[in-house]
Amino acid sequence: MKEFEPIIVAFCCHYCAYAAADLAGSLRLEYPPGIRIVEVPCSGRVEEELILKAFAEGADGVLVAGCLEGDCHFQKGNIRARKRVEHLRQLLKEIGLEPERLAMYHLSSAMGRRFAEIAWEMAEKVAGLGPSPLRRRTREG
Amino acid sequence: MIVAKPKPFPFLTEQLRPYRKVAVVGCETCVAVCLAGGEREVRRLAQALELERRVRGGVELLTLPLTVKRQCEYEYLEPLRETLKGVEAAVSLGCGVGVQYLAAAFPELWVVPGLDTLMAGGPTALGVWEEYCRLCGECLLHLTGGICPLTRCAKGLLNGPCGGASEGRCEVNPEVPCAWILIYERLRRFGKEELLRHLTPPKNWQLAQGRGPRKLVREEVRG
Amino acid sequence: MKSGSRLERLLSQGEFVVTAEIGPPKHASAEPLIRKARLLKGYVDAANVTDCQTAVVRMASIPAAVHLLREGVEPVIQMTCRDRNRIAIQADLLGAYSLGIRNLLCLTGDHPAVGDHPEAKGVFDLDAVQLLDMVRRLRDEKVFQSGVPLKGPEPRFFLGAAENPCGAPVELRIMRLAKKVEAGADFIQTQCVFDLECFSRWMESVREEGLDRRVYILAGVTPLKSARMAQYMHENVPGISIPEEIRERMAKASDSQEEGIAIAVETIQALKRIPGVAGVHIMAIAWEEVVPEIVRRAGLFPRPQLPEETDR
């Protein structure tokens, strides 16, 4: 049986994480193949519904990556995003999903290596949890 | 505005367990402004309800996210009639008034409240709402410098402070300033301290409680 | 005479009165009340029976007061606005009067949130000022709060109210006191006094307003039992501050109970010298047995006798 390769949607802020992912690519750093990067203008732009939608569409994990504390281009978008993610993790539990499938990270545009680390960290964690029950159902159905 | 807060998600999933087609109905007025029942909250809840059903299993749930201008007026609910055909139940993200209007407008629809309606108040900081009015039916704010003691004093005292305020904070809840000290300071600024000597008679609670639900008729605007 | 109570008669004769406080039991036996009444008899002119103080359920004030009456101790019942609306309050007071109770302390009451049933609904249909006004009109105008006349004898209570002499701002406190006097207070029981300086300043304002001539002021006195109690009250009891000097005396004392009694006695003697103070109200919280000693040592024993009690 092929080893489970989780699909992880990464909502990446244009000003930091997206650039960091780019940098990771230029540095030829390898990151997990299941990562699907979505560029957003700010992590604060990622509404709860959008994250839920990613799960509804079969994502095994979702990561939201925003700027370091104090560095948000829109002042507090990253802080809002973090609170929202915290809140949503509780809701995930109530929905019946492991809250660990959702995480928030902070980094800067210069942290290409860190981005790759985060991606691996998340992929391993989610791989440990197994496929999302929503994905299973999508496939079965 | 009317301030409300979301009911726990597991409460709603439990209430909706028997149904397959469920509308989530928000309101663009007070509850939208207090981030409890506007369009965004409606979409989020609808999505979450569907996901929960998929994860837990059971019959598939189809949700209809809908938001109306004001849930407390029939004319805004009327246009939903077509859409709601075949819908078994609805979660109302309106205030307690909205829930009841929705139930009354659609007698065949089982309506569940999605919010707990708390108070007439307003935001005092981002994510913080406070009560300002008890809707008592007889405003006394001209006597108290625009600060309502009925609402903002823990005991609703109408004739000055109890003896327990400490450093200007309420003895019952030190997070809150003593309403009567605020009133005193404000009246003093306007040279109106004499108002404090005025004996406010016991409140006419009939105006607040009526004989059952209160009713207002104004002939000059009556249709 | 408004009520003809022993307390009223002594005050009107210019006696420096002594009252004490009795907390009813948290059960259905009158035994502790009877024991405390026997302890205090002859040492106090009247005894207060609290109305579920600090919003904790206890035996109700009125029936507890009847037990004191039977023991020959004149009760002062307390009535708060927390648990009863105007209908229940008036009904209870008619009953209380019919049972021979003549003194009534009108209070707003502690909020349910601070008590043992924090989920209870606080009634607060009236506040203490409105309560005083209502009971004064029952007595003097023979009408219920609604304005409807009574159909027979009116309840004639000697009316008390409470006040915190060290509350701030002073001007606001004095205005509220004046309002209570206007509404019908015949006597005022103050929060316990530890800070004599602040109490004297308050009495000065009371005299300036001429209130000492319109109302009898009974200063509250609480004997401290330990340094810990002093610290606790200072930090946690709303409206009470205990000067550092007293807290230090309690902390340094080898026998803290003796020190607490000595402070109470000194306080009473100092209060007696302040013009306008008509008596003391000793609140020995869960330490009622110390009252006789304090009364004796303060030189207030024996208590004056009345020729005979009014008919009940």
Side-chain angles (χ1 to χ4, degrees), chain B residues 154-155 157-165 171-172 180-181 184 188 193-194 196-203 205, chain C residues 86 108-111 113 124-127 129-130 133 145 164 168-169 171-173 175-176 178-179 183 209 238-239:
Chain B
K155 298 175 189 172
L157 303 184
L158 299 181
N159 282 293
C162 72
E171 70 164 37
V172 181
W180 275 104
I181 292 181
Y184 166 71
R188 228 162 55 127
E193 310 86 300
E194 283 308 304
L196 291 167
R197 296 189 182 264
H198 167 93
L199 198 155
T200 305
K203 215 161 166 54
W205 288 108
Chain C
R86 62 193 83 172
T108 299
D110 291 314
H111 195 278
F124 302 114
D125 177 26
L126 307 176
D127 61 30
V129 176
Q130 294 161 346
D133 189 59
Q145 191 276 327
N164 178 6
E171 186 193 14
L172 180 57
R173 301 260 28 123
M175 277 177 162
R176 172 135 161 111
K179 218 164 165 175
E209 283 267 327

Side-chain angles (χ1 to χ4, degrees), chain C residues 213-255:
Chain C
R213 292 190 304 277
R214 298 177 63 195
V215 72
Y216 300 109
I217 308 266
L218 311 186
V221 175
T222 289
L224 294 165
K225 213 170 179 175
S226 64
R228 237 185 74 214
M229 174 185 174
Q231 199 59 33
Y232 179 85
M233 284 184 76
H234 178 68
E235 283 165 11
N236 299 301
V237 180
I240 290 187
S241 86
I242 301 181
E244 206 190 326
E245 185 205 322
I246 289 185
R247 280 180 283 141
E248 210 146 277
R249 266 181 73 177
M250 288 302 293
K252 284 186 180 150
S254 54
D255 181 347

Side-chain angles (χ1 to χ4, degrees), chain A residues 47-49 52-53 55-56 80 87-88 91 93-97 133-134 137-138, chain B residues 8-10 13 40 43-45 47-57 126:
Chain A
E47 286 184 17
E48 291 163 307
E49 193 210 354
L52 292 176
K53 189 138 196 284
F55 285 111
R80 300 237 165 84
H87 181 65
L88 208 51
L91 182 63
K93 211 188 309 179
E94 291 167 353
I95 284 172
L97 291 173
L134 292 162
R137 263 168 229 279
T138 319
Chain B
F9 182 71
T13 52
R40 188 196 310 228
R43 280 191 281 111
R44 171 184 178 276
L45 177 63
Q47 179 73 265
L49 287 170
E50 282 190 7
L51 283 187
E52 194 269 352
R53 190 68 71 84
R54 280 173 62 193
V55 173
R56 305 266 184 217
L126 204 60

Side-chain angles (χ1 to χ4, degrees), chain A residues 99-120:
Chain A
E100 295 78 19
R101 290 186 187 275
L102 172 63
M104 169 92 197
Y105 288 97
H106 297 276
L107 69 176
S108 81
S109 58
M111 296 162 92
R113 197 169 297 280
R114 176 71 184 135
F115 182 83
E117 271 170 35
I118 287 169
W120 280 113

Side-chain angles (χ1 to χ4, degrees), chain C residues 48-64:
Chain C
N48 263 245
V49 192
T50 55
D51 177 13
C52 299
Q53 81 257 30
T54 67
V56 169
V57 179
R58 289 166 181 273
M59 186 184 288
S61 182
I62 295 168

